[in-house]
Amino acid sequence: MYAQANMISKVSNPAFVLHDHSPEDVARATILGLQKEPFFIFDMDEAYRRIQYFKHKLPRVQIFYAMKANDGELMLKLAVATGLGFDCASIHEIHKILRLNVPPTDIIYAVTMKTPEQMMYARQSGVKRATFDSPSELVKLKEYWPDVELLLRISVKSDSVYQLGIKFGCNFETEATDLLDKAACMGLRVAGVAFHVGSTCLSPESYLKALQQARYLFDYEAKAGRTMRILDIGGGFFCDDNLFEQATSVIRKGLDELFPGPNVQIVAEPGRYICETACNLYCNINNVKTITKNDKPLNMVYINDGLHGSLRSFEKWHTIHKFELETTKHEELEDTILWGPTSDPRDCLTEVQLPRCTPRDWLVFKTQGAYASTFSSKFCGFGLVQTRFLISFDLWNKIKSHKVFRPSDFVIQPDVSSPLQSTMPPVVPAESCKHTNLNTLIDYLTSD
Ligand code: PLP
């Protein structure tokens, strides 16, 4: 039904292959070159380490990377080269990942409220699996995607920074079995159960509760003579080492106890965990002024990215530093408020203690690899922040021959000080400036 896209694209910002690199050194060189606009430095080795560590901690679980977290071309290619599947949140994401020749069977369309057009798009593209959580979705699916393999999404209560359960998933106690029966009556195939404990989950035991509920539903289906064979444990993994160890230990034990044996395919949809720590954001300062607030001086620092750009998902666990371009002496910290560059007075990031800044200074926002570039808007006309990808020589050697990559995806002996692609619009010269020839200019000025 589907045609292989066969369209692996060329990336606009290729990865710099470096023998010995620190992201900070490359950022410093870039800034001391001609870079004027904010930029990300994305360390592909760090994302690779995260993928490998996730696999190591949950060996029975297949990763379907939630590409909404970071859909940078080289992040996606790295995910393809390391054998991941994809959780797609829109047909646009489906389109983007199919262009990398990912088989559509490696995609879960993890959206519970799809329009008929979106269902038909996914079906025609060869995608096989999608989630649902309501009777009315079943009615649409019956008409527009009757051969889909469905995953029933259940809502999970948890202590999470982003409570996805308030928006998605059916109520386990009151709705789940009815939905399973309804799907069966309609001749639709429910292949499994999906849940998401909420993004940045602080309560690892929530995974166990969800696994128990999923087990109950698998047994319910078996009693009704129907077999489910996919369990999707979602995302929600926090980058904090301690919490990740706890969550994966709870999941490993829960799976061994409740889903032993190879009959059920276990998948997860981590997003933040894979890419958050791989990337820092560097911002320059547009202007600084000092006001008095509560009888104390307060530095108002206006930076060149903000809430409507890459910092919409800025969180209290993210750290900000003045980025040292050269070794400086210790500087006193002062009360500072950080403002974004747009006209919106809510475009205010945080109050923070920073050394006094000038427009020559840069700030670094650490761990901005997840939901930073993908949340960005173009409010006030600003361009999207560009990313410089870095890869070590060793990792490049390991993955470069994967068919997803083009030689042009990498620069072998890069000039690390070269600026990133500019998002500045070209100048449209003012009328008077078009007349470089003096006579023409005089004609122009004297004509009516
Ligand atoms: N899967 C689904 C269905 C989601 O909605 C999300 C995030 O919103 C994710 C996976 C990724 O979650 P996280 O980044 O917390 O791992």
Side-chain angles (χ1 to χ4, degrees):
M1 185 192 294
Y2 63 93
Q4 273 287 26
N6 204 17
M7 290 184 277
I8 294 175
S9 48
K10 236 177 82 177
V11 298
S12 48
N13 283 320
F16 283 8
V17 181
L18 297 167
H19 277 278
D20 182 20
H21 69 272
S22 103
E24 281 73 25
D25 289 346
V26 176
R28 196 167 288 111
T30 309
I31 291 168
L32 294 173
L34 283 173
Q35 184 66 23
K36 298 292 171 216
E37 298 176 52
F39 63 100
F40 290 108
I41 295 272
F42 190 104
D43 183 357
M44 293 176 72
D45 289 61
E46 170 66 9
Y48 180 78
R49 271 192 296 276
R50 290 274 166 168
I51 292 169
Q52 300 308 327
Y53 196 61
F54 193 101
K55 289 180 178 175
H56 168 70
K57 283 286 161 181
L58 293 175
R60 287 185 58 201
V61 178
Q62 254 176 288
I63 302 177
F64 279 60
Y65 170 58
M67 59 186 280
K68 61 178 86 65
N70 187 313
D71 65 355
E73 197 92 358
L74 283 167
M75 174 63 231
L76 295 182
K77 288 189 172 186
L78 180 68
V80 175
T82 45
L84 310 191
F86 293 87
D87 151 14
C88 292
S90 66
I91 54 172
H92 304 85
E93 286 191 349
I94 291 174
H95 175 73
K96 188 161 185 174
I97 207 65
L98 288 178
R99 281 176 65 93
L100 299 184
N101 287 346
V102 167
T105 44
D106 285 355
I107 292 173
I108 296 174
Y109 191 5
V111 174
T112 53
M113 59 296 176
K114 300 168 285 295
T115 65
E117 292 74 22
Q118 291 162 346
M119 289 176 181
M120 288 189 292
Y121 182 99
R123 184 169 187 245
Q124 282 165 12
S125 305
V127 176
K128 299 281 180 228
R129 293 179 186 165
T131 55
F132 79 106
D133 64 3
S134 66
S136 60
E137 187 77 355
L138 287 176
V139 174
K140 283 181 283 166
L141 287 161
K142 176 74 188 164
E143 188 160 355
Y144 298 102
W145 199 357
D147 51 353
V148 62
E149 286 187 7
L150 288 169
L151 304 179
L152 173 64
R153 176 136 174 206
I154 53 173
S155 153
V156 183
K157 288 202 183 72
S158 66
D159 177 11
S160 300
V161 177
Y162 301 93
Q163 293 279 346
L164 297 182
I166 61 172
K167 183 169 178 185
F168 305 108
C170 68
N171 184 300
F172 167 72
E173 272 92 24
T174 59
E175 296 174 317
T177 52
D178 285 353
L179 282 168
L180 291 173
D181 289 338
K182 189 165 178 43
C185 279
M186 295 169 76
L188 288 164
R189 165 137 176 65
V190 182
V193 173
F195 61 81
H196 193 304
V197 293
S199 197
T200 312
C201 178
L202 308 171
S203 54
E205 66 286 356
S206 310
Y207 285 99
L208 181 58
K209 181 102 182 101
L211 288 177
Q212 288 162 342
Q213 295 180 346
R215 180 68 257 170
Y216 179 91
L217 297 174
F218 271 70
D219 292 343
Y220 180 86
E221 285 293 85
K223 274 190 213 125
R226 308 184 288 251
T227 314
M228 295 203 286
R229 51 180 184 75
I230 305 165
L231 173 64
D232 179 347
I233 66 170
F237 302 91
F238 196 17
C239 303
D240 174 88
D241 290 343
N242 207 5
L243 277 169
F244 184 68
E245 295 305 316
Q246 287 179 40
T248 49
S249 152
V250 165
I251 293 167
R252 263 194 326 271
K253 284 192 200 123
L255 289 177
D256 288 349
E257 198 182 300
L258 299 164
F259 292 90
N263 294 341
V264 177
Q265 182 194 9
I266 318 282
V267 305
E269 301 169 354
R272 183 183 300 278
Y273 182 77
I274 304 294
C275 51
E276 181 165 81
T277 52
C279 186
N280 294 337
L281 172 70
Y282 296 83
C283 296
N284 193 202
I285 289 164
N286 287 353
N287 200 17
V288 181
K289 64 186 186 190
T290 301
I291 61 163
T292 305
K293 189 176 170 192
N294 301 332
D295 295 329
K296 289 202 309 212
L298 174 66
N299 296 330
M300 309 254 282
V301 174
Y302 300 80
I303 61 176
N304 58 2
D305 200 357
L307 281 193
H308 296 294
S310 323
L311 288 162
R312 169 120 175 263
S313 60
F314 178 75
E315 294 288 355
K316 51 184 177 302
W317 63 85
H318 293 141
T319 56
I320 312 165
H321 304 289
K322 187 166 161 183
F323 187 54
E324 283 191 10
L325 292 174
E326 58 212 21
T327 324
T328 46
K329 58 181 183 342
H330 174 73
E331 295 174 291
E332 289 300 315
L333 299 180
E334 299 184 358
D335 290 342
T336 306
I337 183 163
L338 292 181
W339 297 95
T342 69
S343 58
D344 180 2
R346 288 166 302 179
D347 190 2
C348 175
L349 287 164
T350 184
E351 289 205 26
V352 65
Q353 292 267 304
L354 283 179
R356 181 161 304 182
C357 296
T358 75
R360 282 188 309 279
D361 290 318
W362 286 73
L363 301 180
V364 52
F365 294 77
K366 295 288 190 80
T367 59
Q368 292 300 312
Y371 304 109
S373 56
T374 48
F375 267 4
S376 300
S377 80
K378 289 184 166 182
F379 179 52
C380 286
F382 290 105
L384 296 178
V385 171
Q386 300 288 302
T387 303
R388 169 145 292 159
F389 288 89
L390 311 181
I391 186 166
S392 70
F393 191 79
D394 289 349
L395 179 57
W396 171 71
N397 246 334
K398 210 178 279 174
I399 64 174
K400 67 177 182 205
S401 48
H402 191 284
K403 60 183 187 314
V404 77
F405 292 113
R406 296 268 170 269
S408 56
D409 288 341
F410 303 104
V411 187
I412 311 298
Q413 284 181 320
D415 169 6
V416 288
S417 65
S418 56
L420 285 97
Q421 212 174 48
S422 173
T423 67
M424 290 259 290
V427 175
V428 180
E431 267 308 298
S432 56
C433 300
K434 283 183 186 158
H435 303 278
T436 45
N437 176 312
L438 195 56
N439 290 335
T440 334
L441 180 60
I442 290 164
D443 286 347
Y444 168 72
L445 292 173
T446 51
S447 69
D448 47 27

